[in-house]
């Protein structure tokens, strides 16, 4: 006989199993994430600046110790503490890291969606995962050409692609772990 707690546990397991196999829900997760990314890239710079937050929580002296001095070319601009200020310099790295993270998550979600197609082989799945991410990166950068205070840069597409590659690698890493744990657990179906 099932107790109240084990009944709830069984219901949650059944719901998660149903959701996990549903292609539409998996695709919806990808589209919701893309919509969120599009929303973020539609905002002008002044709505997204991190400088006030950084100033509020970290002194400039602390940042100067952590931020390496130097300069480099990114696109058509020189990135340096001298040109951007300490807070602007740190913000640059945070914003570029966000590119990698956003597209890594997009690749993971795309892999999760494509994993619901049981007959799709790994090569095809990987190709589609990366194509979805790169095409979205290109269109997103193009869209930023028309957004106030935003720039469209090929370098950002390269960063986005690196994030997608990292997300794809993480997808297959997690998939292998899941497959190993399911092989050792009794009564579990194959993993996608």
């Amino acid at each position: 006989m099932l107790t109240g707690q084990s009944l709830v546990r069984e219901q949650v397991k059944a719901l998660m199993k149903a959701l996990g196999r549903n292609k539409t829900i998996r695709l919806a997760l990808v589209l919701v994430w893309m919509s969120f990314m599009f929303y973020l890239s539609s905002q002008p710079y002044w709505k997204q600046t991190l400088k006030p937050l950084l100033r509020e929580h970290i002194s400039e002296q602390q940042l100067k110790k952590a931020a390496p001095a130097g300069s480099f070319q990114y696109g058509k601009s020189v990135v340096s503490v001298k040109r951007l200020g300490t807070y602007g310099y740190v913000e640059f790295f945070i914003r570029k890291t966000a590119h990698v993270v956003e597209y890594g998550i997009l690749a993971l979600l795309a892999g999760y969606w494509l994993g619901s197609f049981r007959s799709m082989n790994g090569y095809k799945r990987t190709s589609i995962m990366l194509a979805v991410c790169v095409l979205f990166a290109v269109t997103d950068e193009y869209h930023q050409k028309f957004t106030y205070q935003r720039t469209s840069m090929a370098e950002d597409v390269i960063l986005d692609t690196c994030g997608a590659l990292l997300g794809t690698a993480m997808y297959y890493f997690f998939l292998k772990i899941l497959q190993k744990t399911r092989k050792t657990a009794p009564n579990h179906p194959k993993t996608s």
Side-chain angles (χ1 to χ4, degrees), residues 8 11 37 87 92 105 152 164 191:
V8 170
Q11 289 171 330
M37 292 168 69
Y87 291 106
F92 172 85
I105 292 170
S152 177
T191 308

Side-chain angles (χ1 to χ4, degrees), residues 27-42 102-103 105-107 109-110 113 128-129 131-137 139-140 143:
L27 175 59
L29 290 172
V30 173
L31 296 175
V32 165
W33 185 250
M34 288 173 137
S35 298
F36 175 68
M37 292 168 69
F38 184 82
Y39 167 76
L40 291 176
S41 70
S42 297
E102 283 180 338
Y103 281 86
I105 292 170
L106 180 58
L109 290 173
W113 165 54
I128 295 172
M129 286 168 68
V132 164
C133 293
V134 172
L135 287 172
F136 188 73
T139 57
D140 190 50
H143 155 255

Side-chain angles (χ1 to χ4, degrees), residues 94-163:
I94 292 170
R95 291 172 71 87
K96 297 310 170 186
T97 301
H99 276 266
V100 174
V101 171
E102 283 180 338
Y103 281 86
I105 292 170
L106 180 58
L108 282 167
L109 290 173
Y112 180 60
W113 165 54
L114 294 167
S116 65
F117 296 89
R118 298 283 183 229
S119 61
M120 188 179 295
N121 67 35
Y123 176 76
K124 188 174 184 180
R125 184 182 303 159
T126 302
S127 299
I128 295 172
M129 286 168 68
L130 292 174
V132 164
C133 293
V134 172
L135 287 172
F136 188 73
V138 169
T139 57
D140 190 50
E141 285 302 313
Y142 180 74
H143 155 255
Q144 286 187 37
K145 270 182 150 177
F146 308 104
T147 304
Y148 180 66
Q149 289 186 331
R150 298 299 291 263
T151 56
S152 177
M153 302 180 77
E155 290 81 359
D156 286 348
V157 173
I158 293 168
L159 275 179
D160 299 340
T161 303
C162 290

Side-chain angles (χ1 to χ4, degrees), residues 11-27:
Q11 289 171 330
V12 168
K13 279 168 107 177
L15 177 63
M16 293 307 291
K17 185 176 180 181
L19 290 177
R21 301 268 185 238
N22 191 316
K23 293 174 178 70
T24 306
I25 291 174
R26 289 181 180 203
L27 175 59

Side-chain angles (χ1 to χ4, degrees), residues 45-61:
Y45 170 75
W46 66 269
K47 280 191 169 184
Q48 291 184 339
T49 183
L50 300 170
K51 291 179 202 174
L53 183 69
L54 291 170
R55 281 189 187 99
E56 184 180 329
H57 294 287
I58 305 171
S59 74
E60 191 167 5
Q61 293 297 46

Side-chain angles (χ1 to χ4, degrees), residues 65-110:
K65 289 178 187 174
S71 67
F72 59 93
Q73 190 82 23
Y74 189 83
K76 295 178 183 174
S77 301
V78 173
V79 178
S80 68
V81 173
K82 184 177 180 180
R83 184 176 164 278
L84 300 175
T86 307
Y87 291 106
Y89 188 70
V90 170
E91 180 187 54
F92 172 85
F93 286 102
I94 292 170
R95 291 172 71 87
K96 297 310 170 186
T97 301
H99 276 266
V100 174
V101 171
E102 283 180 338
Y103 281 86
I105 292 170
L106 180 58
L108 282 167
L109 290 173

